[in-house]
Amino acid sequence: MADMHSEADLAFVRETMLAQKEPPIAEQGALKWLRENLFSSWLNAILTVLSLLLVYWVLAHTLPWLLRGVWDAGSLAECREIRDARYGDGVDAACFAVITDRWQQLLFGFYPRELYWRPILALLCFFAAIAPVLFARVPRQMLGFTVAAPFLIFLLLWGGTIWGPLTVALGFVIGWACIAFLTKPLGRLVATIAAVLLPIIFWLFLAGPLARELGNILPIGLEPVGSKDFGGFMLSFVIGVAGIILSLPLGILLALGRQSDLFLINKVSVGFIELIRGVPLIVWLFTASLLLNYFLPPGTNFDIMLRVIIMVTLFSAAYIAEVVRGGLAALPKGQYEAADALGLDYWQSMRLIILPQALKIAIPGIVSTFIGLFKDTTLVVFIGLLDPIGLSNSIRATTDWNGIYWELFLFIGIMFWIFCFSMSRYSMYLERKLTREHR
Amino acid sequence: MSTTTDAPAPDQGFRLNQLIYDTRYRSMTIQIVALIVLLTFFGWLINNTIENLEALGKDFDFGFLGQRAGYDINQVLIPYDSGSTHGRAALVGILNTLLVAVLGCILATVVGVLAGVLRLSKNWVVGRLMTVYVEAFRNIPLLLWIILIFALMTEATPQPRAFLVDESGNADASMLLWDSVAITNRGVFIPAPVGGAAAWFVVGVFLASIAAIFLWRRYAVKKLLDEGKVVPTLLPSILLFFVPTLVVFFLLGRPISLAYPELGGFNFNGGIQVRNSLVALWLALSLYTGAFIAEIVRGGILAISKGQTEAAYALGLRSGVTMRLVILPQALRVIIPPLISQYLNLTKNSSLAIAVGYMDVRSTLGGITINQTGKELEGMLLLGLFYLLISLLISGAMNIYNNRVKLKER
């Protein structure tokens, strides 16, 4: 009875584990990936084949042209001679010699050649100044340099005596001093009004003569360079960066104005935003170049680049205002009420509670507005400034490089792509860093 | 025992510093100060303008719109010649702007929706390709794309002469789509529809059958909601779309025909010549805006949480119905507002026509007319008003739509 199932009764007992079998060929490795990602259905297979064909077609047309590129020649005719000698008559080959020949012009325009160190130094200053704003790991002491940088960069780019930027900076110091020293004795309101009015009076009536006198006594400075000599990516960069930095505070103010309960402020903000956004930038630029002289007192005439910067700033401020308004609207009403309940006044609650959260929500929109602004700097070509596209036209107009298109477009396109793409990546980084939600 | 803590403040009468420190009056003070500043500023601007106009000996009137323009426009939708007035030139420009804007919006939507959906596809090659497309077009200025495509159209396309067939029966270039479309460096030649009075009747029937489709769909929904009966809509819609128009078309003896472009000498005759400037502008605007629309569509689809699909399946809806009744209505609520603002951007960006010499409203009214008459102020004012009007109309329509689809929160 004991051992019913003796070993003898059973025909076969497996004593060792079998090794695991390989999955079917179609279910592993590259083949599986291909099947799942490229040929999972008929539609997908057709799409894959079509896109591969497209990629092949584009590469077949451009790659030989690119790889055969001639980098070393003085003119298009010379380029073609080298190409004919190297690859045979009339073969498609790029002529990148135009870039090696003219890259300085594409970057700096007609800025004097011996002064190229100044825009380069200005660019380095810009990076040093912007670093502590963009990245939290950079030491905070650098922010002091950030405050001084605009004046330094202005001096480096345009030259002239150092007293011009210094007196302008003095105006800001006066404003700061009003707030710092007048608040105690006279009250905050009077101090604020003084901090706005005194610098304006100083700039309008005192700064000019003061700078001139100081310049006569102590002529320290750099060789002046006029705005008409600016060009290429330097011009795009100056207009773009100035527009970006100036338009953000203005845009935030406009957004607050649009949210305001004060009837007049609200309506003026709405009107301004809709007016600016309703009309294309190019029309505003023409307005700046054709009509501004009508609106200003007879005889005033100011720098075309300054006009462009003002127009671009106003234009993108209106767009930023709308983006920030979206951020303000997305905040729960409880945040506003909590700020009120804490007893904060309007500006305190905005500064400490509302704006930090609203701006965080609005970051993607703000950065894409900035990217748009930077791309729109190319439009200045229509009012006679030499941005990279304008320069490509004038390079093409010379006898040496008459008839060259694609190489210049490629260079300009890649440069813009690098700037804009890195801006959009930075905004993604910032978004990730600022996320406070639990995941 | 009752003590009143909120005794009214002793009435001291109105003091001047209440204007600043009393919240009841402060907003009024701020607004009045702002109003004064604003009026002063505008007064200053207007005063300067009047003085400047006087100094230049110019006046402010719109009489120039009735004067003879004296310049030619190479792409027109309505009859125009150099003897027409500046006003008519402006109208031609407006129509040209609207033409490229409408064409651009249609193509941009098609491209954008396709690219947005394909970018979400699990197909690796297609997904990457669409990413490259979107990132390339979003990060390079539109102006560069316009110039680039225009250069492609004029430099890399054959001359009309290349279409000539030589003795051996060969030609350097050939027409596309069964010899109906010719892409040349002088423009794209397409067939032109030709028809008499009877043609309008066919068009009328076609429009009527479109209206009938809408009525039928509304009837089907009403039937479904009131009586729970499912009325078929797809087949009747297709039939309504084709049958009446085709029947009328053949009964009237085919009143509409196509005039094909034909090679005569060194250029094409007949058909419609679409200038390369228009084609380049149209393609560049569509591809550029399409990249933005693709991102909007992708974002809209991703914004609908997976739970919605799962809930719909749990209710027993099939995938097509789920898409149509659950996902799309919610995704569209996210997609449509930014989509319309992209349409607006496209319309405004069409003013870049200046780069390729397409005669839009900025080139006629805001360009040649201003140069010829010296009426910068009036011309720019009208130009600005035109764009502003379009923008306000579209954003007004968008507000109405937003209010209709807004989540009804209680």
Side-chain angles (χ1 to χ4, degrees), chain B residues 134-303:
Chain B
V134 167
E135 293 297 347
F137 273 86
R138 284 198 328 157
N139 288 317
I140 294 178
L142 171 61
L143 183 59
L144 196 63
W145 286 118
I146 293 178
I147 299 177
L148 186 78
I149 295 180
F150 185 62
L152 265 177
M153 296 291 298
T154 50
E155 300 288 315
T157 50
Q159 293 183 324
R161 204 174 7 171
F163 289 82
L164 278 178
V165 180
D166 59 12
E167 294 85 25
S168 55
N170 293 321
D172 294 334
S174 57
M175 294 167 76
L176 304 173
L177 295 176
W178 305 282
D179 274 357
S180 62
V181 176
I183 300 173
T184 75
N185 66 350
R186 286 196 208 169
V188 176
F189 294 84
I190 56 170
V194 185
W200 289 109
F201 189 67
V202 178
V203 174
V205 169
F206 180 67
L207 291 179
S209 49
I210 298 262
I213 291 176
F214 275 101
L215 287 179
W216 178 260
R217 300 211 148 200
R218 188 181 284 181
Y219 167 75
V221 171
K222 191 169 150 45
K223 204 80 168 158
L224 181 71
L225 293 182
D226 290 352
E227 302 169 27
K229 282 185 188 147
V230 177
V231 182
T233 52
L234 185 66
L235 191 65
S237 297
I238 294 172
L239 287 180
L240 271 174
F241 190 83
F242 287 108
V243 173
T245 313
L246 285 179
V247 165
V248 172
F249 180 72
F250 284 108
L251 275 183
L252 290 175
R254 293 200 256 178
I256 303 177
S257 62
L258 291 175
Y260 290 97
E262 277 169 26
L263 198 58
F266 292 115
N267 206 350
F268 282 91
N269 298 319
I272 300 174
Q273 180 187 9
V274 187
R275 298 254 161 196
N276 275 335
S277 51
L278 171 58
V279 178
L281 187 67
W282 174 50
L283 287 180
L285 282 173
S286 313
L287 291 174
Y288 182 80
T289 314
F292 288 87
I293 293 180
E295 282 301 89
I296 292 169
V297 169
R298 191 173 77 109
I301 294 174
L302 286 179

Side-chain angles (χ1 to χ4, degrees), chain A residues 70-124:
Chain A
V70 176
W71 287 89
D72 190 23
S75 70
L76 190 59
E78 206 178 307
C79 227
R80 290 192 172 136
E81 275 170 32
I82 295 175
R83 177 197 68 185
D84 290 348
R86 222 180 268 171
Y87 306 108
D89 271 358
V91 175
D92 268 348
C95 179
F96 292 115
V98 67
I99 312 289
T100 44
D101 193 44
R102 297 296 180 97
W103 65 271
Q104 291 149 320
Q105 219 176 42
L106 282 169
L107 292 187
F108 298 107
F110 295 103
Y111 209 83
R113 210 162 264 249
E114 64 281 2
L115 298 180
Y116 279 168
W117 60 273
R118 276 165 43 181
I120 294 171
L121 190 62
L123 186 67
L124 292 178

Side-chain angles (χ1 to χ4, degrees), chain A residues 82-269:
Chain A
I82 295 175
R83 177 197 68 185
D84 290 348
R86 222 180 268 171
Y87 306 108
D89 271 358
V91 175
D92 268 348
C95 179
F96 292 115
V98 67
I99 312 289
T100 44
D101 193 44
R102 297 296 180 97
W103 65 271
Q104 291 149 320
Q105 219 176 42
L106 282 169
L107 292 187
F108 298 107
F110 295 103
Y111 209 83
R113 210 162 264 249
E114 64 281 2
L115 298 180
Y116 279 168
W117 60 273
R118 276 165 43 181
I120 294 171
L121 190 62
L123 186 67
L124 292 178
C125 281
F126 169 71
F127 282 136
I130 205 81
V133 182
L134 294 188
F135 300 103
R137 261 173 295 169
V138 179
R140 296 291 89 189
Q141 289 82 350
M142 296 260 295
L143 280 172
F145 179 71
T146 307
V147 174
F151 306 103
L152 187 60
I153 290 173
F154 176 85
L155 183 68
L156 281 171
L157 289 178
W158 276 274
T161 67
I162 59 168
W163 302 113
L166 273 185
T167 42
V168 173
L170 190 61
F172 286 106
V173 174
I174 292 173
W176 171 80
C178 287
I179 295 270
F181 298 116
L182 294 184
T183 309
K184 274 263 172 64
L186 296 177
R188 212 176 72 200
L189 190 80
V190 179
T192 315
I193 292 174
V196 173
L197 282 185
L198 282 184
I200 291 177
I201 292 170
F202 171 77
W203 283 323
L204 281 182
F205 301 108
L206 285 174
L210 186 65
R212 222 168 297 131
E213 280 307 309
L214 285 169
N216 287 337
I217 298 165
L218 267 180
I220 313 169
L222 296 166
E223 191 185 325
V225 179
S227 289
K228 66 175 183 0
D229 293 332
F230 281 48
F233 280 99
M234 185 180 129
L235 180 88
S236 299
F237 218 71
V238 170
I239 295 176
V241 169
I244 284 172
I245 290 173
L246 295 174
S247 66
L248 186 59
L250 191 60
I252 293 174
L253 282 183
L254 279 172
L256 292 180
R258 196 167 182 166
Q259 294 284 87
S260 165
D261 295 332
L262 306 179
F263 178 79
L264 189 72
I265 307 276
N266 178 297
K267 289 292 168 275
V268 169
S269 306

